[in-house]
């Protein structure tokens, strides 16, 4: 008998198991894969960012004339993949050590909830006071003719390539699609992105998304927005463009980056009465399902499919399980696109704020107002801030340029703590840094 059974060891599952174990709970963690860490550590966040950094280093060296760097440079894909495996392996061992330190018992196998408080793994049935479902998500693959061919890969399979493609077609211009496009283009692959919507990076501030597309196009990526894929052939992707014309782009490798789907099947959820809404586990602000003693966190809840949100949901669930009242708030969740240049944002866009009936003021500045940005980066960058005209509360911050992923947390803290613009004006930012552009944009707001 355990206090808690956690199903899935991704950013929600292993964090939940660690926190509960540290709180003195007896915890069983069930993972169906051979490795711990889930998609994020093994086939998502960590390996992709490792490769993206390899690509950024190569691109900077190969295009470094304006920085005084020259000479012949080559990209060794095998070495980059070896580094990816090393980083993933090291972090996977780290998760295993965390489980050991927190006295979490780990078993491998497919879990199924057979009754409230009972989880079957193979022939064994384990009991616990509470069950936390953290089963993550998987790539969604629409029924496009030809999508089942060997050269068509999802975001997991493309990380197992043994050589660079010559021509890559990316179906989908969301976060996953543009990140892979950025990496492959940076190392010399001919890349085309086919996006169904009128702009890439849906959900991003419209001006930021346009500028991102412009900057990526400078690096050789061809974008087809407002396009519908009709068929994937052996050597091309055929699509209808925004004008209704039939087009095609040559490709020896195709990446299907068409979103992700919560993993809610074959868990016994419906059998025990857990509510599934639009293919995801329904939870309240405390991460409870409608069945007492069954909780859920991470991508399987379909809230916002981000690793850092999954971990926070896991902490929220464990806090409530341990008797410490906690609740989720989703208004200050940061989002990052790790392209070159990076995009980072938190809170509402100007359009979203207007749609919600807020009286809005906004300001934007080029990143080049920062001396450090200008010294270290070619290309353009942008900062936009959004505030409420009446309360003078900061509502959103949206960034494009280098260092964005490492400085968005400050904006998150401001929005989470409901910081007013006049208070931000009194904050001291270090100089010269890129982050001081946030303060400059706040100073540019006119109420």
């Amino acid at each position: 008998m355990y206090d808690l059974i956690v199903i899935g060891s991704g950013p929600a599952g292993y964090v939940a198991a660690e926190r509960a174990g540290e709180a003195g709970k007896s915890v069983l963690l069930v993972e169906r894969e051979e490795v711990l860490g889930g998609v994020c550590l093994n086939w998502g966040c960590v390996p992709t960012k490792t490769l993206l950094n390899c690509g950024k280093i190569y691109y900077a060296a190969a295009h470094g004339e304006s920085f005084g760097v020259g000479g012949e440079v080559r990209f060794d894909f095998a070495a980059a993949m070896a580094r990816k495996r090393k980083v993933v392996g090291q972090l996977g061992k780290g998760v295993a050590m965390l489980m050991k330190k927190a006295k979490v018992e780990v078993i491998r196998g497919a879990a199924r909830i057979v009754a409230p408080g009972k989880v079957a793994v193979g022939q064994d049935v384990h009991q616990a006071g509470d069950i936390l479902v953290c089963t993550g998500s998987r790539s969604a693959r629409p029924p496009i003719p030809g999508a089942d061919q060997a050269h068509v890969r999802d975001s997991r399979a493309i990380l197992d390539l043994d050589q660079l493609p010559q021509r890559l077609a990316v179906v989908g211009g969301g976060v996953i699609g543009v990140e892979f496009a950025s990496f492959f283009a940076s190392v010399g692959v001919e890349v085309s992105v086919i996006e169904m919507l009128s702009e890439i990076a849906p959900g991003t501030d419209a001006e930021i998304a346009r500028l991102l597309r412009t900057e990526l196009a400078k690096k050789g990526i061809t974008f087809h927005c407002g396009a519908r894929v009709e068929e994937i052939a052996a050597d091309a992707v055929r699509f209808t463009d925004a004008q209704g014309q039939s087009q095609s782009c040559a490709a020896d490798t195709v990446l299907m980056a068409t979103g992700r789907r919560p993993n809610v099947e074959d868990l016994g959820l419906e059998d025990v009465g857990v509510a599934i809404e639009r293919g995801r586990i329904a939870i309240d602000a405390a991460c409870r399902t409608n069945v007492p003693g069954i909780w859920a966190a991470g991508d399987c809840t379909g809230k916002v499919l981000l690793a850092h949100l999954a971990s926070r949901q896991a902490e929220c669930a464990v806090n409530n399980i341990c008797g410490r009242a906690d609740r989720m708030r989703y208004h200050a969740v940061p989002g990052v696109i790790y392209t070159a240049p990076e995009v980072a944002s938190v809170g509402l866009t100007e359009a979203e704020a207007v749609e919600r009936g807020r009286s809005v003021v906004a300001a934007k500045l080029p990143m080049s107002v920062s001396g450090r940005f200008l010294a270290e980066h070619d290309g353009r960058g942008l900062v936009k801030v959004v505030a409420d005209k009446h309360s003078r509360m900061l509502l959103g911050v949206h960034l494009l340029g280098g260092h964005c992923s490492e400085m968005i947390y400050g904006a998150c803290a401001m929005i989470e703590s409901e910081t007013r613009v006049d208070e931000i004006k009194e904050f001291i930012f270090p100089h010269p840094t890129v982050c001081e552009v946030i303060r400059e944009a706040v100073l540019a707001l006119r109420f």
Side-chain angles (χ1 to χ4, degrees), residues 70-90:
E72 185 177 350
V73 180
R74 68 181 183 87
F75 182 73
D76 188 334
F77 184 58
M81 295 295 277
R83 180 174 180 81
K84 178 208 74 170
R85 291 189 293 271
K86 178 182 177 182
V87 171
V88 169
Q90 182 174 334

Side-chain angles (χ1 to χ4, degrees), residues 127-145:
Q127 298 186 52
D130 291 281
I131 299 169
L132 176 57
V133 182
C134 304
T135 47
S137 64
R138 65 189 184 278
S139 294
R141 182 167 292 201
I144 297 172

